[in-house]
């Protein structure tokens, strides 16, 4: 690979790192062709981009990126694959599901919305991360609950203030 080609790869990787807030580093070494194809298919179905990268080029891209990858640059040893996704937990779910049949891929680390996770032992934590949409849905549900109580109290209290206060106080006690 020429110096010019390496520079081009570093530029492309830097752009990908800048454009994505959910970045996983995984080790897929040792997977045969069939399993690699199955992993790529699973990633595609989950909306996850998968790319095998050279550690030295990825490290340079991380260093020239506008993000702080902290200790993730230190784990760039051996085989490294990048996984990008719009949803923070999608790559973790793909890895966990795939490992039901195989001992790979191993999670090396992840950069999720400026938080850094290092090590395969973080996989379950990453699987359990909630997306923005899931969090918004939970918040809306929590906010709707008190409103439903008030509406219910209004209906059962005869639509008067005294009836509403009485109904709500009975529910608290």
């Amino acid at each position: 690979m020429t110096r010019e080609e390496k520079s081009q790869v570093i530029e492309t990787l830097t752009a990908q790192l800048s454009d994505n807030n959910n970045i996983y580093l995984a080790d897929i070494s040792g997977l045969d062709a069939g399993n690699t194809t199955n992993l790529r298919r699973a990633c595609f179905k989950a909306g996850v981009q998968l790319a095998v990268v050279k550690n030295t080029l990825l490290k340079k891209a991380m260093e020239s990126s506008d993000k702080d990858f902290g200790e993730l640059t230190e784990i760039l040893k051996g085989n490294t694959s990048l996984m990008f996704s719009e949803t923070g937990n999608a790559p973790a779910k793909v890895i966990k599901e795939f490992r039901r049949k195989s001992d790979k891929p191993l999670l090396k680390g992840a950069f999720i919305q400026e938080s850094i996770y290092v090590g395969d032992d973080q996989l379950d934590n990453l699987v359990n991360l909630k997306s923005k949409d899931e969090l918004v849905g939970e918040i809306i549900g929590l906010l709707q609950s008190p409103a439903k109580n008030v509406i219910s109290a209004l209906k059962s209290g005869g639509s008067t203030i005294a009836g509403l206060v009485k109904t709500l106080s009975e529910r608290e006690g």
Side-chain angles (χ1 to χ4, degrees):
M1 185 178 274
T2 67
R3 181 173 287 175
E4 194 172 295
E5 290 170 330
K6 286 180 183 177
S7 294
Q8 182 60 42
V9 170
I10 292 169
E11 280 182 41
T12 302
L13 283 172
T14 303
Q16 287 177 315
L17 294 174
S18 295
D19 292 344
N20 290 283
N21 288 319
N22 304 308
I23 303 162
Y24 282 67
L25 305 175
D27 176 1
I28 64 170
S29 64
L31 290 179
D32 61 22
N35 280 328
T36 301
T37 300
N38 291 338
L39 176 61
R40 288 187 181 280
R41 190 172 293 126
C43 286
F44 180 78
K45 285 180 183 175
V48 175
Q49 297 174 17
L50 176 68
V52 178
V53 294
K54 285 188 155 236
N55 290 329
T56 53
L57 302 179
L58 178 57
K59 185 173 184 174
K60 288 180 181 178
M62 286 176 152
E63 290 168 353
S64 61
S65 170
D66 56 347
K67 295 178 180 165
D68 179 13
F69 289 100
E71 56 191 308
L72 288 181
T73 57
E74 298 167 19
I75 62 171
L76 296 177
K77 295 172 178 72
N79 182 294
T80 303
S81 296
L82 275 175
M83 299 174 90
F84 300 108
S85 174
E86 289 290 319
T87 308
N89 63 2
K93 287 180 177 180
V94 169
I95 291 170
K96 187 165 181 137
E97 179 65 29
F98 201 80
R99 290 214 334 225
R100 289 182 180 181
K101 299 174 188 156
S102 175
D103 60 343
K104 297 278 178 142
L106 293 176
L107 176 69
K108 294 172 94 171
F111 177 90
I112 311 296
Q113 305 288 332
E114 299 180 14
S115 296
I116 295 172
Y117 302 83
V118 176
D120 195 58
D121 60 331
Q122 297 293 316
L123 186 61
D124 286 333
N125 293 335
L126 291 165
V127 166
N128 293 326
L129 282 180
K130 298 203 182 285
S131 70
K132 285 181 184 178
D133 291 340
E134 290 170 325
L135 287 175
V136 168
E138 283 184 16
I139 291 169
I140 289 172
L142 290 170
L143 292 173
Q144 285 178 341
S145 181
K148 287 178 183 175
N149 287 342
V150 171
I151 292 168
S152 172
L154 276 172
K155 287 179 181 175
S156 66
S159 299
T160 64
I161 297 290
L164 171 64
V165 171
K166 180 181 177 203
T167 304
L168 287 175
S169 64
E170 288 172 358
R171 288 190 179 173
E172 287 181 18

